[in-house]
Amino acid sequence: MTTVTEQPPSRAARIAGWFTPSIALARIAWLRTILYLFVILDMHAFVRDTRLKGEHPDLYQPLLLARIFHLPVPSVANTTALYVVLIVACLIGATNYFPRVAGWIVAPAFTWWVLIGMSDGKVDHDHLALVVALWVLPTVSGARRGASAYGDQTRSEAAGWAVRCVQISVIATYFLSWVAKVRSPGWKLLSWPNSAILTWAIVRRPHPVGEWLLLHPWLLQVMQWVGFVAEFLSPVILWLKGRWQLLGALFFIGFHVANTAILLIHFLPTVVCWLAFAPLERIVPFVRRKLHRDPGQAEDQAEDRGQAEQQAGA
Amino acid sequence: MTNGDRRLGRAGKTIRVAVAVVGIGLLINGSARASDDAWPFGPMSQYAGSVADDAEVTFTRITAQTDAGTSVDVPLNIEGAGVARAEIEARTGEIVKNPALLQQVADGWAKKHPDQPKYLKLELIRDTTKLVGGRVVGPPTPEVLATWQVRR
């Protein structure tokens, strides 16, 4: 890593630069609001049995992290406290006032919430990106407070790192699913896509769409191949740009729609984190251009006026 | 419109890159070697199993005889008996060894549905469906794995 600007950056500097792109702080503000509100939804719709586990600790089997940190066995008192703390901290964080303090409370609290929710012999794999997002969001400093944060075009490498971590976690969810599919049959590459896994899944969770598909096992196998190849290729999306990246994102969102129809598994906690790829920082300037024709109020006066003149001349 | 880029200092950048690289390393290690226990660094093993096209597909359920004289399938979800089917399946072995674990299914139901018929006797049943050439042949065969007389 050299400080002489004339020389091309070293390989180490290029790699470090990839992990820390400059991204507008507005994207962090949007992600804070969306993800902290999503956590509240998650606590009621997805990982929603944590408080119940406080009432019935008999089935509690602490996971590795809970054992390492000697987390207490869930009880009515501690799961209720966790619930209240999470709701309050998420609501504060979502406003973009004191988002770092709130964020540093939400990250460990929600991680513990999910740890309890999954400490009963069954672990879901849809929370990686969301949990990572909650841990990296509070590391971003220097954002504006409240509503003005959504339009803050100040570009920050700290923001870029947080966004990159979420993007990597989203993609890791797919790529590592591919790894698991190769590992599960004893590191055999092509065993999974040729197997009867989707038939198995539908027999165990019957529903009308699935029962029709059971009559066409070849179709299920085609779907297995599409998913298998897509999960293997998913890391490419990290290096795609613009429309191609959008296309990749839309493909995987379609993949989740199909999974929801066939397996009744929605993976929404991962889907919402796809927003880390979206240029959310453009929302405010876009809305201003479209709606605010009053140039006195807009911060980007010149641009607004130019736009208005163009539209008047059109 | 921009106030200039906020760049990271050398230390801040180094730490962040290191954290990201270590995190990726932990994820790869977990996927290659660990189990679900290592969440969130465990393998993404949902539906990763490879099922032979002549396999037997098993499905575990609980039926109950109620004090209204009926026999019902216990709804294995949070709103029903307060326990998810996946939890019961993950712990089938333990329940077979110690059927008293089924007591909390009855307790959960009674607590959530005080005005509905109570469970008197619970049976843990495994349905087996046979696949031939990847196709389902015939209806499932049930087998009772554990029985529990509910304590009142």
Side-chain angles (χ1 to χ4, degrees), chain A residues 281-293:
Chain A
E281 61 274 19
R282 293 192 205 153
I283 293 175
V284 169
F286 177 81
V287 171
R288 273 195 191 136
R289 278 200 302 274
K290 286 280 171 202
L291 297 179
H292 274 257
R293 299 280 179 85

Side-chain angles (χ1 to χ4, degrees), chain A residues 12-82:
Chain A
R14 281 209 312 274
I15 292 171
W18 185 81
F19 279 104
T20 55
S22 280
I23 287 181
L25 286 165
R27 194 182 306 189
I28 296 294
W30 281 105
L31 288 175
R32 279 179 172 143
T33 300
I34 294 164
L35 296 184
Y36 291 137
L37 293 179
F38 186 88
V39 166
I40 296 178
L41 170 73
D42 196 320
M43 290 165 64
H44 295 93
F46 311 137
V47 185
R48 58 192 169 151
D49 52 353
T50 299
R51 291 175 76 195
L52 203 76
K53 295 216 161 81
E55 293 170 25
H56 302 278
D58 344 14
L59 281 179
Y60 179 68
Q61 285 180 320
L63 292 174
L64 181 63
L65 272 187
R67 300 197 301 275
I68 290 175
F69 291 100
H70 297 285
L71 297 178
V73 173
S75 66
V76 173
N78 62 28
T79 55
T80 306
L82 194 56

